[in-house]
């Protein structure tokens, strides 16, 4: 058996290049793996994990691997378990996101903060709704940003007092205090609390910090360039009793400075830990040479970087295309036509993506795709669990976990309609606050006062509603499938005729997802289901056959065979906030990330004019075009989107060449200019292809 394990790991190691193998076989001490885009970092990490467990003999339970997205965590988990297939009897290694680790940690230790472990995690929309109820003197987003910043700097409301400099700061601080008091009273956490409270416990409870550090003797962190201050502090506490911290990242892909990510965490890693081993992964398995040449040239203009150059394993590939357009309408039309051509040629829709720096640019692209009847998915728009009818169902479930959750209670007390209007709701809230109780506790424990305040009829309606919830609460503890059936049979929402089909369909889909979760996780509790949903993110939506449209930030970690980057103009990409060098460097890193999402075909599009914020403006093409292209090289080609440029004369019998299908004979011509479509016979295989995708073969 031992010989079989040895061969299994040796085979995995043999599939790595020398730099990857060096990193995978490093055991003790701190290590920085500087991994360029597409350089096989996931394969390296998971092989290292298998090597530590099966070859070195480190217990799987002594390892902890942290990343940033559920998608990345799942991919790593699948690969690692595949390599450890013969070790199924042992507890699996823990691979999860930072926030899921925080969730699990707080389930065990939040009592150290005198809080209950059956907390519910708010999503962003609920957080903002609570803040909006507390104050409307400033935009809700400003309060949200302030609170998030304070927590990520590990500052409590009391500690943040020291940073009040003016009246606006005083207002922000007051709302932070009131918001925290509200969460505490309702046993709620927000997303930032999962790290903020985890660090608070690790920082103040030395015994727990020591125990956790000794439990996880070998820690690996993916996407280290995206860590913020509090994540760095947590890692320092986790590595308290050892220095076995391996971080993997790429300083050139640090693009989340706006939400607190600190690129200096990776730039200074070698100074923050002792005897750090540095391994550079510079062989790229994703993109062609010409795409990487453009990416390398662009990022070389940044000064604040560790430095590396990506080399393509795939070879030269196609030139990067720059598409010039008159305006956003012609841009959308051009991109949609090309994508229609690709789909007609048999390219999978999921291998095509359109990226933009500014979300507002998606409107014209969506219109173009709709006109061309191309199936697409807009990532980062309203997500399934943020839809109103789904939020209603989630509020029912949250109340079953915590009957004192007034926020959820007020959302659904009249959904479906029970005749409990806003005036009655306000009266009940006022009475509950005067008695220092939740609304449900007020109704149950003070029936006479409640009936007097809101009226006997309203009291009876709410009491029946609460009795229903109490019955469902018992089902939730015993059997989730029975709870789902009860909700399906008893909750009947009313929708307008226009919305009915879609909203009923969404509700049915929710019940199906809930039922599937209950079947797959028979030991899980209702709060586990709710918290799993709270930890979901936009990249979890990347599935199914559709052209994906998304911001560059959302595309991080993804790859596509055909990639279109639109809006490549000054003011849009880079998005100019001023001439601050830090801003420009992060914008350049965004460009680098965008380029390296492309596997085979990279198309960069800009418009000469664009209608934005109520007016049309002349645009200048992005400085990044010049920075990423040395004119003596051939890795760029210009495609001007003008009818006259594309109005090449084709005729039946003409010989043409296509990049994929080779040489063929034109059988039929339809349309002209940029919309000219050719029916071509490629040695018996007939295809309809846009003329812009072929070249005339001279006889």
């Amino acid at each position: 058996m031992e010989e079989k394990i040895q061969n299994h790991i040796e085979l995995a190691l043999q599939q790595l290049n020398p730099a990857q193998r060096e990193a995978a076989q490093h055991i003790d001490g701190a290590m920085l793996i500087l991994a360029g885009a597409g350089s096989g970092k996931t394969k390296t990490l998971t092989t290292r994990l298998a090597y530590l467990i099966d070859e070195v003999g480190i217990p799987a339970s002594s390892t902890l691997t942290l990343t940033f997205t559920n998608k990345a965590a799942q991919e790593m988990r699948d690969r690692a378990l595949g390599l450890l297939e013969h070790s199924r009897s042992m507890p699996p290694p823990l691979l999860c996101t930072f926030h899921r680790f925080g969730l699990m940690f707080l389930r065990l230790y939040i009592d150290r903060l005198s809080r209950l472990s059956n907390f519910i995690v708010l999503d962003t929309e609920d957080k903002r709704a609570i803040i909006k109820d507390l104050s409307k003197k400033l935009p809700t987003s400003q309060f949200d940003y302030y609170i998030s910043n304070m927590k990520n700097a590990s500052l409590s409301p009391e500690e943040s007092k020291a940073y009040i400099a003016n009246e606006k700061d005083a207002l922000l601080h007051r709302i932070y205090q009131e918001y925290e008091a509200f969460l505490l009273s309702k046993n709620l956490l927000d997303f930032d609390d999962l790290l903020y409270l985890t660090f608070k416990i690790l920082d103040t409870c030395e015994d727990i910090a020591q125990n956790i550090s000794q439990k996880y003797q070998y820690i690996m962190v993916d996407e280290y360039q995206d860590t913020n201050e509090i994540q760095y502090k947590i890692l320092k506490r986790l590595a308290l009793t050892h220095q076995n911290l391996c971080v993997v990242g790429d300083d050139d892909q640090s693009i989340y400075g706006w939400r607190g990510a600190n690129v200096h965490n990776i730039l200074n890693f070698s100074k923050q830990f002792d005897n750090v081993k540095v391994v550079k992964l510079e062989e790229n398995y994703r993109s062609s040479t010409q795409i990487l040449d453009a990416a390398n040239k662009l990022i070389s203009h940044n000064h604040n970087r560790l430095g590396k150059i990506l080399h393509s394993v795939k070879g030269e590939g196609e030139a990067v295309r720059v598409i010039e357009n008159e305006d956003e309408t012609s841009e959308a039309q051009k991109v949609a036509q090309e994508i229609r051509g690709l789909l007609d040629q048999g390219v999978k829709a999921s291998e095509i993506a359109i990226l933009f720096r500014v979300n507002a640019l998606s409107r014209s692209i969506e219109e173009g795709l709709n006109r061309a009847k191309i199936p697409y998915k807009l990532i980062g728009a309203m997500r399934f669990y943020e839809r109103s009818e789904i939020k209603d169902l989630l509020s029912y479930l949250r109340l079953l976990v915590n009957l004192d959750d007034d926020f959820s209670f007020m959302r659904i007390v009249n959904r479906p309609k029970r005749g409990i209007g806003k005036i009655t709701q306000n009266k009940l809230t006022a009475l509950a606050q005067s008695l220092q109780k939740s609304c449900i506790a007020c109704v149950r424990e003070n029936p006479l006062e409640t009936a007097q305040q809101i009226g006997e009829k309203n009291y009876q309606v709410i009491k029946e509603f609460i009795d229903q919830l109490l019955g469902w609460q018992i089902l939730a503890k015993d059997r989730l499938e029975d709870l789902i059936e009860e909700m399906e049979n008893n909750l009947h929402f009313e929708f307008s005729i226009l919305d009915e089909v879609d909203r009923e369909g969404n509700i049915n889909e929710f019940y199906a997802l809930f039922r599937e979760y209950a079947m797959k996780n028979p030991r899980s509790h209702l709060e586990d289901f709710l918290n799993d949903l709270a930890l979901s993110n936009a990249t979890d939506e990347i599935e199914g056959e559709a052209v994906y449209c998304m911001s560059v930030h959302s595309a991080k970690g993804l790859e596509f065979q055909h990639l279109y980057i639109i809006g490549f103009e000054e003011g849009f990409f880079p998005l100019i906030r001023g001439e601050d060098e830090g801003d420009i460097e992060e914008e350049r890193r965004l460009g680098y990330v965008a380029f390296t999402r492309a596997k085979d075909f990279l198309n960069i599009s800009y418009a000469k004019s664009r209608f934005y914020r109520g007016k049309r403006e002349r645009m200048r093409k992005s400085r990044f075009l010049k920075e990423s292209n040395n004119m003596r090289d051939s890795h760029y080609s210009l495609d001007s989107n003008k009818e006259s440029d594309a109005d090449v004369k084709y005729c039946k019998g003409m010989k043409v060449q296509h990049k994929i299908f080779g040489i063929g004979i034109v059988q039929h011509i339809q349309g002209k200019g940029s919309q000219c479509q050719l029916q071509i016979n490629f040695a018996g295989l007939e295809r309809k292809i846009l003329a812009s995708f072929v070249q005339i073969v001279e006889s």
Side-chain angles (χ1 to χ4, degrees), residues 552-615:
V552 180
H553 285 100
S554 296
K556 179 83 172 0
L558 304 176
E559 57 183 41
F560 301 93
Q561 184 184 7
H562 295 265
L563 188 73
Y564 291 84
I565 306 172
I566 66 165
F568 219 66
E569 302 119 26
E570 287 292 299
F572 285 105
F573 206 161
L575 182 62
I576 307 297
R577 301 184 189 89
E579 289 301 317
D580 182 270
E581 187 59 31
D583 286 347
I584 295 299
E585 292 217 347
E586 178 144 332
E587 290 294 309
R588 205 172 274 122
R589 293 195 292 268
L590 264 173
Y592 176 83
V593 167
F595 285 12
T596 53
R597 299 312 94 201
K599 293 194 285 188
D600 299 307
F601 301 95
L602 175 58
N603 307 279
I604 302 170
S605 172
Y606 70 90
K608 293 181 179 179
S609 79
R610 197 173 289 278
F611 190 80
Y612 184 63
R613 291 183 176 173
K615 59 180 179 179

Side-chain angles (χ1 to χ4, degrees), residues 547-673:
V547 173
Y548 291 105
C549 306
M550 69 192 90
S551 70
V552 180
H553 285 100
S554 296
K556 179 83 172 0
L558 304 176
E559 57 183 41
F560 301 93
Q561 184 184 7
H562 295 265
L563 188 73
Y564 291 84
I565 306 172
I566 66 165
F568 219 66
E569 302 119 26
E570 287 292 299
F572 285 105
F573 206 161
L575 182 62
I576 307 297
R577 301 184 189 89
E579 289 301 317
D580 182 270
E581 187 59 31
D583 286 347
I584 295 299
E585 292 217 347
E586 178 144 332
E587 290 294 309
R588 205 172 274 122
R589 293 195 292 268
L590 264 173
Y592 176 83
V593 167
F595 285 12
T596 53
R597 299 312 94 201
K599 293 194 285 188
D600 299 307
F601 301 95
L602 175 58
N603 307 279
I604 302 170
S605 172
Y606 70 90
K608 293 181 179 179
S609 79
R610 197 173 289 278
F611 190 80
Y612 184 63
R613 291 183 176 173
K615 59 180 179 179
R616 179 161 298 282
E617 291 185 1
R618 298 297 297 174
M619 308 302 298
R620 288 186 297 122
K621 58 187 177 184
S622 172
R623 72 186 76 178
F624 292 168
L625 283 173
K626 183 178 180 181
E627 290 180 355
S628 60
N629 180 35
N630 184 325
M631 296 310 291
R632 290 172 297 178
D633 293 341
S634 61
H635 68 268
Y636 266 61
S637 66
L638 179 65
D639 183 359
S640 181
N641 189 23
K642 295 179 181 177
E643 286 290 309
S644 58
D645 293 338
D647 200 10
V648 181
K649 298 295 183 184
Y650 292 92
C651 58
K652 189 174 179 179
M654 179 178 282
K655 190 180 289 186
V656 294
Q657 183 165 14
H658 185 270
K659 294 171 185 175
I660 296 174
F661 300 108
I663 294 176
I665 305 297
V666 175
Q667 303 292 311
H668 182 69
I669 302 104
Q670 182 178 357
K672 63 179 182 177

Side-chain angles (χ1 to χ4, degrees), residues 19 185 316 458 477 491 686:
S185 69
E316 192 71 9
N458 289 330
K477 290 175 182 175
L491 287 182
E686 290 205 359

Side-chain angles (χ1 to χ4, degrees), residues 254-271:
S254 180
I255 60 174
Y256 295 109
W258 52 276
R259 71 179 188 197
N262 188 352
V263 68
H264 293 285
N265 286 349
I266 190 169
L267 294 176
N268 297 331
F269 185 79
S270 295
K271 301 173 186 174

